[in-house]
Amino acid sequence: MKAVITISVFLLFLFSCRKETRDLAENTIVSDKNLNKNIVDSIRNQSIFIHENENTLTRIWVKSNEKRGNYFYSDTVNVLKISKYQFAGQKLNLINDIDLEKTEWAYLEIDSTNIKTRKIGKMKYLFLTYQVSNMGKAMNEHSVNFSMINVDSIADNFSLQYFGYPSDYCNECIRGNFEENSKRKSSKMAKTALHHYAETSKLIYYPSAEEKNISHYKNYAEKWQKDNQADNNFGAGYAIIPNVLYSTYYDEDLFKLNSASEETIENKNYTIQSFFRGNLLGFDKNKKKYFPIIVESCSHFCNKSVEFIDGQTLKITYEDDQSFEINLSKIVFK
């Protein structure tokens, strides 16, 4: 019986020590000199970045209940934090704590390949890239966030955000636009530095000068949506086909710009390709030109099948059995 009590006491003591060390890593006052090394090691192990000198320790870390490796987090709430501590004798005091990003019902992924430090003037800045994508089926928009943080004065931090959707034009990147963070003031120096830093990211698509023109064939999807006054990017579902469809003819092979072709059909006038949960494109055999019919993307519930009813009319049936017909000869070309 004594042995059982002794083991129980020992396990209780061991659990208490572990819990104390974990709590200290987040909050922290360390009164036992022997714990200083342990808590600093614990903080290091739980951090994405550490900057340390004789008096202070600064770290970047994520508060999350579901950590998958060192750089990927999935939780109802993820908080990307900057924390600064001060060594004071036998104590390690938390002196500043800033939430750099707070996400809800999202995946938060740190780009471990693009963490950099750079000296600007007399100040040393940390540059950090992280991506946020939504959990569930409601939205498929992603954001890539670029941050620069003064490692000696963490209140001096700036951010630049890029919003978009998965793109076929690069490997695992998104295509969209930059949006300044209106919640934070930013200097000209910070904006310039962040845009230069963003150019090194493989997570976003950078068009060439020529490709920035909306009439460029690589921008066929953006032009189609602008002409049809549509934004057909859905987490779940599909677009209702308008009564009047606008499109554009292209000499370039649009089929090659898309991946995962789901179905190809043709008759004497057209070749039609439907792409997996994506665009519906056509090739006019008489004009020898390519054109978008429907531009859309989604994550769920927009698989579709296509068939010709006659030489000019296309029938589209989605997976919920909703059907639409498009007379290709009535598309208005711009």
Side-chain angles (χ1 to χ4, degrees), residues 13-227:
F13 172 76
L14 183 62
F15 174 77
S16 299
C17 289
R18 284 180 177 172
K19 184 177 186 302
E20 182 183 0
T21 301
R22 186 177 68 247
D23 291 344
L24 286 168
E26 295 187 4
N27 296 309
T28 255
I29 291 182
V30 179
S31 57
D32 188 333
K33 187 175 180 180
N34 294 327
L35 274 179
N36 259 339
K37 183 178 184 304
N38 293 336
I39 195 61
V40 171
D41 287 345
S42 176
I43 283 175
R44 286 196 189 102
N45 292 335
Q46 294 177 32
S47 300
I48 296 161
F49 172 83
I50 287 281
H51 174 69
E52 189 176 349
N53 57 35
E54 288 184 4
N55 300 315
T56 63
L57 182 149
T58 300
R59 69 165 176 151
I60 310 294
W61 61 292
V62 176
K63 188 174 183 179
S64 175
N65 289 325
E66 238 185 285
K67 178 181 176 184
R68 303 181 187 180
N70 290 328
Y71 301 102
F72 185 77
Y73 306 85
S74 169
D75 200 1
T76 53
V77 179
N78 294 308
V79 187
L80 179 61
K81 300 176 75 69
I82 321 170
S83 300
K84 188 166 186 176
Y85 306 83
Q86 185 173 49
F87 295 102
Q90 296 179 0
K91 294 182 179 181
L92 180 63
N93 295 328
L94 178 64
I95 56 175
N96 200 356
D97 192 54
I98 295 172
D99 291 349
L100 191 64
E101 179 77 41
K102 185 176 182 180
T103 68
E104 296 184 0
W105 298 100
Y107 302 107
L108 174 65
E109 186 171 6
I110 311 296
D111 183 1
S112 61
T113 66
N114 208 24
I115 299 173
K116 299 178 180 179
T117 55
R118 179 185 165 198
K119 199 167 184 181
I120 302 177
K122 296 181 179 180
M123 304 298 181
K124 184 177 181 181
Y125 286 91
L126 167 72
F127 288 83
L128 182 72
T129 305
Y130 58 96
Q131 183 170 220
V132 176
S133 56
N134 297 290
M135 298 169 66
K137 302 173 182 177
M139 297 173 63
N140 63 350
E141 185 180 53
H142 294 211
S143 69
V144 177
N145 305 269
F146 304 96
S147 294
M148 60 180 289
I149 303 138
N150 186 331
V151 295
D152 293 312
S153 178
I154 63 175
D156 178 24
N157 67 83
F158 308 94
S159 66
L160 176 68
Q161 293 178 299
Y162 185 94
F163 292 92
Y165 300 94
S167 173
D168 285 317
Y169 298 146
C170 47
N171 185 29
E172 296 183 355
C173 76
I174 65 171
R175 183 176 184 179
N177 296 288
F178 286 104
E179 185 176 299
E180 301 293 339
N181 190 336
S182 59
K183 294 180 181 178
R184 291 185 185 161
K185 294 181 180 179
S186 188
S187 66
K188 184 178 179 180
M189 175 276 292
K191 287 179 182 178
T192 301
L194 280 168
H195 276 284
H196 282 316
Y197 172 59
E199 289 175 2
T200 68
S201 176
K202 295 179 180 180
L203 298 179
I204 64 174
Y205 173 70
Y206 258 98
S208 65
E210 185 183 20
E211 291 168 2
K212 289 179 180 179
N213 186 336
I214 196 167
S215 295
H216 192 277
Y217 73 97
K218 284 190 176 181
N219 298 323
Y220 80 84
E222 287 76 10
K223 186 176 188 305
W224 186 96
Q225 298 212 66
K226 181 180 179 182
D227 289 343

Side-chain angles (χ1 to χ4, degrees), residues 281-296:
L281 306 179
F283 174 70
D284 189 317
K285 292 181 177 180
N286 300 309
K287 290 184 169 62
K288 308 297 184 188
K289 291 183 183 293
Y290 295 85
F291 61 100
I293 302 168
I294 297 173
V295 168
E296 66 180 1

